Amino acid sequence: MSVDDRPTLSAPDDDPWLWLEEIEGKQALDFVTRQNSLTLDAFGGAAFARDRDILAAIYDRPDNIPYVSRRGTELHNLWKDATNPRGLWRKTSLAEFRKPHPTWEIMLDVDQLAAREGEDWLLSGITTQPGSARAILGLSRGGSDAVTLREFDLDTKSFVADGFALSEAKGGADWLDADTLLLSSAHGEGMATSSGYSRTVRLWRRGQPVDQAQVIIETTADHMAISGIVDDTAAAPRSWIVDQIDFFNHALWLRDADGATTKLDLPTGIWLQAHGDWFAMKLREAWSIEGRTYAADTVLGMPLSAFLAGSRDFAVLFEPESRRALQGLFWAGGRLVLSILDELQPRFEICTPSVTSWSRESLGGLPQIGVVDIWPLDRHPSESNGDLLANVQDPLTPPSLLLMERGVASPTVLKQAPKTFNADGLVVTQHEAISIDGERIPYVQTGPAGETGDAPVYMSAYGGFAHSVKPYYNPSLGKLWLERGGTTVQANLRGGGEFGTRWHDAGRLAGKKLSHDDFAAVAADLVRRGVTTAKRIAAQGGSNGGILITNMLVRYPERFGALFCTIPLIDMRRYTKLLAGASWIAEYGDPDKPEEWDWLKSYSAYHNVKAGQPYPPILIATTRRDDRVHPGHARKMAAKLQAMGYEAWFYEPEAGGHGYGKDNKERAGFEVIGFRFLKDKIGWKDEG
């Protein structure tokens, strides 16, 4: 291999490692095979196999919570374990589910299907219609985002002969009626945007070749995607058409039963949820209308019929504060549920509309610390009676699945996850670091009480796409890091959504560097507080977090002992040309625009890596079936670092999609290879 350090900032596409972007290219696969062998030889072996099996056994436990959604009167679940690694799609009743050991009826054995058809199938999506025994199943090869669509009969538990079927593509379909699908798929010539998602919404009628399906709306190739969603909560059938302009902006059309479409005169940067004649929306930016100005992150509501008639008399349902932000909103049983983080603590409010006003109440009976996630039990809003499910946990307390009947009854425990590691002597504490510009950056630390000055620390964060990081119970870190004496740290970086749009915007586009500064500030704070030393800090980040980890490598190498970079973006010059990369321009910027490349190049670690620097050891891992973030990012960065003489390791299993494996054993192996590497490189002699 060449030791050439190209590409350079002045010639970013002059890249000697470009051949590694050929996912199935012979030379590229030879590189992957050789690298996998080196990595497994170094960090595999008996200790790896032992820990992988320990972790896989936890993921395969029969007493893990089977998460469910209700369709009609049936609760559906997709279950995976050692016997059924690809999964069983099964159903039961709520009364049966309440029992310690429910009886389940199998709908589809995905392992049998994969064996029978000789395909690497996983079940990635199920689309049903209220009152119908038909479903559209999305089958994914090896965990990829692209799916094959097939019609399935829930009564006969078999695929429908000559039913709806579509070969592999990104996108999906919704039932308009028993014989018509609203198809939002990139399948077909000219049907994909530059991001690889659907460019059209089509009416696909039973028995019709898909290339003859009527295109009812089309977007431009530079938009991210367009999709159609059937809404059966209104008096007459209707559909919503969502033209996703970019990751954070979209235009909305309402399509009525006669096929007429009306574009809603609304800002593009909103979250909108409708139910019957009511809708609510969260603003992403401040909005002035009819003499009133509403701040960013405000939630507004009103009757849809009144809005379409010209009224703009909104009710204000939520107003943000500097560290109090909306995390989500949904309808259940005709009531609007607001999910809120207030100083990172979970809060929930229910808003009920009436002809004259909206009433408001807090959702009670839930913890006000830790993590609480709430969602409707019913898959279809038109079938909802208001029943809610809640998942409650914290880093040392395994999840409990609670039922809140009609959203108002006191929560009752349906299922309790097992304790998978010994938490004796461990504590959870919250802290704040001061970033480079003075901003307070929260982080959660879990581990032994007191500071030893040399704790083996596992740091993680994300910092992008307004995604809020929460301190969940983590069986793998608990068993293989905390139980063995280590400490974990989870940071809430700018770029996330923990404190609303202002927090997200501060860490995107040119501000992405600040997000990375935040993470480095947390690492420094751990040393300042006497928790550990820099050489004992191991850090991991995936996807958007891959940009983070590689920037720790090239910008803050002195603050870390070892780095684990997973399913990553890294090359910010070519990212828009690789798979779904163009869909993330709103988060990072467009490298083809000189003024935006000016900031992108500042955190494109692939271009900023230099020879002769004191970089810590790094393991970069991806999966070959990741059709969201191109595996070329990871391959090229590893090759370039190795050519410069750095200690850079690489690992790429064949399956897994934009994740860590297609089944529990593969997922466990991916995680454990990272743990073994990190522990070795920070000098933690962990014998388990």
Side-chain angles (χ1 to χ4, degrees), residues 234-548:
R238 69 187 184 196
S239 304
W240 294 91
I241 307 297
V242 182
D243 181 4
Q244 194 79 35
I245 301 166
D246 61 35
F247 209 90
F248 310 111
N249 291 277
H250 54 261
L252 289 172
W253 279 264
L254 191 57
R255 183 179 187 274
D256 65 20
D258 296 324
T261 57
T262 302
K263 186 177 181 180
L264 273 65
D265 182 19
L266 289 169
T268 58
I270 59 171
W271 299 348
L272 184 144
Q273 293 289 329
H275 185 95
D277 191 39
W278 296 95
F279 79 98
M281 64 179 183
K282 190 211 79 159
L283 303 173
R284 192 176 188 283
E285 297 178 343
W287 185 42
S288 296
I289 187 77
E290 293 193 351
R292 292 195 63 180
T293 297
Y294 303 100
D297 293 347
T298 300
V299 177
L300 306 175
M302 72 177 301
L304 182 59
S305 58
F307 178 85
L308 294 174
S311 173
R312 298 297 182 264
D313 185 18
F314 290 99
V316 176
L317 307 180
F318 173 83
E319 293 183 282
E321 299 173 11
S322 64
R323 292 171 81 86
R324 174 181 168 89
L326 189 80
Q327 301 298 300
L329 68 165
F330 62 85
W331 291 89
R335 292 151 29 115
L336 182 71
V337 180
L338 305 179
S339 171
I340 300 161
L341 279 183
D342 188 346
E343 288 286 359
L344 300 179
Q345 305 304 321
R347 304 286 185 268
F348 298 90
E349 295 181 358
I350 295 181
C351 300
T352 305
S354 69
V355 175
T356 57
S357 64
W358 294 68
S359 65
R360 180 193 307 271
E361 60 185 312
S362 295
L363 202 54
L366 295 167
Q368 296 194 354
I369 59 173
V371 179
V372 182
D373 293 321
I374 290 183
W375 65 97
L377 172 59
D378 293 282
R379 173 62 182 83
H380 297 287
S382 62
E383 296 182 332
S384 175
N385 65 354
D387 287 354
L388 303 175
L389 291 176
N391 199 23
V392 176
Q393 60 193 293
D394 66 41
L396 300 179
T397 308
S400 295
L401 181 65
L402 312 179
L403 174 65
M404 308 179 75
E405 295 184 275
R406 291 172 176 78
V408 293
S410 296
T412 57
V413 177
L414 289 176
K415 300 293 175 185
Q416 173 72 57
K419 293 183 177 180
T420 57
F421 63 90
N422 183 357
D424 292 349
L426 301 179
V427 296
V428 180
T429 54
Q430 292 183 306
H431 308 271
E432 288 184 338
I434 304 302
S435 194
I436 194 169
D437 62 346
E439 181 65 79
R440 295 181 293 141
I441 309 302
Y443 64 95
V444 174
Q445 178 178 321
T446 306
E451 287 78 33
T452 64
D454 66 345
V457 172
Y458 183 102
M459 278 186 69
S460 62
Y462 187 73
F465 294 94
H467 171 69
S468 298
V469 170
K470 300 176 184 179
Y472 290 102
Y473 186 84
N474 188 313
S476 58
L477 281 173
K479 187 67 178 178
L480 301 183
W481 202 278
L482 291 173
E483 187 180 278
R484 296 180 182 179
T487 294
T488 64
V489 169
Q490 190 176 64
N492 299 104
L493 313 181
R494 282 174 287 186
E498 292 88 344
F499 301 128
T501 299
R502 65 108 183 164
W503 193 254
H504 173 219
D505 281 352
R508 74 180 183 108
L509 301 176
K512 187 62 66 178
K513 279 186 71 175
L514 277 178
S515 178
H516 305 157
D517 293 330
D518 295 348
F519 193 68
V522 172
D525 200 57
L526 294 172
V527 176
R528 181 193 64 80
R529 289 179 43 236
V531 175
T532 190
T533 63
K535 292 299 183 183
R536 296 280 275 178
I537 298 178
Q540 180 272 334
S543 193
N544 169 77
I547 309 174
L548 168 70

